[in-house]
Amino acid sequence: MADWVTGKIKKVEHWTDNLFSITVNAPVDSFTAGQFAKLSLEIDGERVQRAYSYVNPPSSADLEFYLVNVPEGKLSPRLHVMQPGDEIHVTKEAAGFFVIDEVPECDTLWMLATGTAIGPYLSILQEGAGLERFKNIVLIHAARFAADLSYLPLMQQLQRRYEGKLHIQTVVSREEISGSLTGRVPALIENGTLEGAVGLKINAEDSHIMLCGNPQMVRDTQQVLKDLHGMRKHLKRKPGHMTSEHYW
């Protein structure tokens, strides 16, 4: 059974009609960047809960979550209309293994995300712990429209902070925007466009790929990386080149 604590909404940021972030104050245990918590509300006499990754670094007292409102969902429409001061339940302990300590040694770490799955990477990069062992870090955020790139200003701020070590690239699938690639991540890897834009090569000798988000993107990208570069999933008992987390 999960141990729940009561938190208070501090801030709600509406990025688009359906994308929003909530900032919560709650007495949770310390966590590792990249992990997730569960949020819940009592709805019609039952606890409705969903898992959401922390966007904030563990060193921050404010807990931040990046969400998409699913109109037919049970929880997200309720969270979408919450106001500062409202109460919400949060799991006291975080969970998940999508963390830097699980990534094997490599020169270039690729962080690929779709939609709200950019969250764990932002937590990892804001915290910074364990990243000194990589020569290059590549952060890719893919979305449908440019308006959905909610955290691009933070990504750009982090790029400046890492002074040439962090490379960022946005991908938009349903429109053409200056500075962003157009299309789907697997196809952009397959035809070499992503590597060309970033200026770094993906290979099994010195690269590790973290994949987070849409399960179809994760599966398709894994297949491309397997076919093109001979990469395999990373397992504790059998080190590999790809670490993934599905976002639903």
Side-chain angles (χ1 to χ4, degrees):
M1 293 288 290
D3 186 8
W4 296 90
V5 295
T6 300
K8 280 197 172 184
I9 301 293
K10 181 177 178 180
K11 179 183 177 184
V12 182
E13 181 83 42
H14 292 279
W15 304 103
T16 67
D17 288 345
N18 287 317
L19 289 170
F20 65 106
S21 300
I22 59 173
T23 302
V24 181
N25 286 142
V28 298
D29 290 344
S30 59
F31 66 93
T32 301
Q35 289 190 305
F36 62 87
K38 289 184 178 179
L39 304 180
S40 75
L41 293 172
E42 295 289 334
I43 300 175
D44 298 328
E46 68 169 316
R47 183 189 297 278
V48 178
Q49 58 183 285
R50 298 289 184 271
Y52 298 104
S53 294
Y54 285 106
V55 175
N56 61 287
S59 55
S60 172
D62 291 334
L63 312 179
E64 185 174 354
F65 304 93
Y66 184 34
L67 300 83
V68 59
N69 179 36
V70 180
E72 66 274 17
K74 283 189 175 183
L75 184 61
S76 62
R78 301 293 187 101
L79 299 178
H80 192 233
V81 297
M82 295 193 85
Q83 300 293 322
D86 289 346
E87 291 189 345
I88 188 171
H89 301 295
V90 187
T91 45
K92 188 175 177 62
E93 292 185 6
F97 297 97
F98 199 68
V99 297
I100 289 300
D101 285 350
E102 296 292 325
V103 174
E105 293 300 320
C106 65
D107 287 340
T108 302
L109 177 62
W110 294 75
M111 299 174 161
L112 277 60
T114 57
T116 56
I118 191 70
Y121 297 133
L122 296 176
S123 179
I124 289 168
L125 289 165
Q126 287 181 93
E127 187 68 7
L131 299 180
E132 62 281 343
R133 61 189 172 103
F134 306 111
K135 291 181 181 177
N136 293 288
I137 301 170
V138 183
L139 177 63
I140 310 294
H141 188 199
R144 294 180 303 167
F145 301 101
D148 299 334
L149 301 169
S150 312
Y151 285 91
L152 180 56
L154 176 56
M155 291 169 61
Q156 293 168 334
Q157 178 185 329
L158 287 165
Q159 186 178 38
R160 293 190 293 271
R161 168 181 155 184
Y162 281 92
E163 299 178 333
K165 181 174 184 172
L166 175 63
H167 311 260
I168 65 172
Q169 180 62 55
T170 55
V171 177
V172 177
S173 62
R174 299 192 182 181
E175 61 181 343
E176 294 188 8
I177 296 294
S178 176
S180 291
L181 298 179
T182 305
R184 294 184 66 245
V185 169
L188 294 170
I189 292 175
E190 191 169 24
N191 61 27
T193 301
L194 183 61
E195 291 168 290
V198 173
L200 293 167
K201 292 292 185 181
I202 295 173
N203 60 71
E205 287 71 43
D206 62 13
S207 303
H208 191 86
I209 318 294
M210 296 180 77
L211 297 160
C212 190
N214 183 309
Q216 192 63 53
M217 181 281 290
V218 172
R219 287 191 292 269
D220 291 348
T221 303
Q222 286 174 332
Q223 190 62 50
V224 168
L225 293 170
K226 178 182 177 182
D227 293 344
L228 276 184
H229 301 292
M231 291 181 159
R232 63 178 181 270
K233 292 181 183 179
H234 175 64
L235 303 169
K236 276 193 174 181
R237 63 182 182 276
K238 188 176 182 181
H241 318 95
M242 300 181 287
T243 300
S244 64
E245 183 158 276
H246 292 184
Y247 233 56
W248 60 75

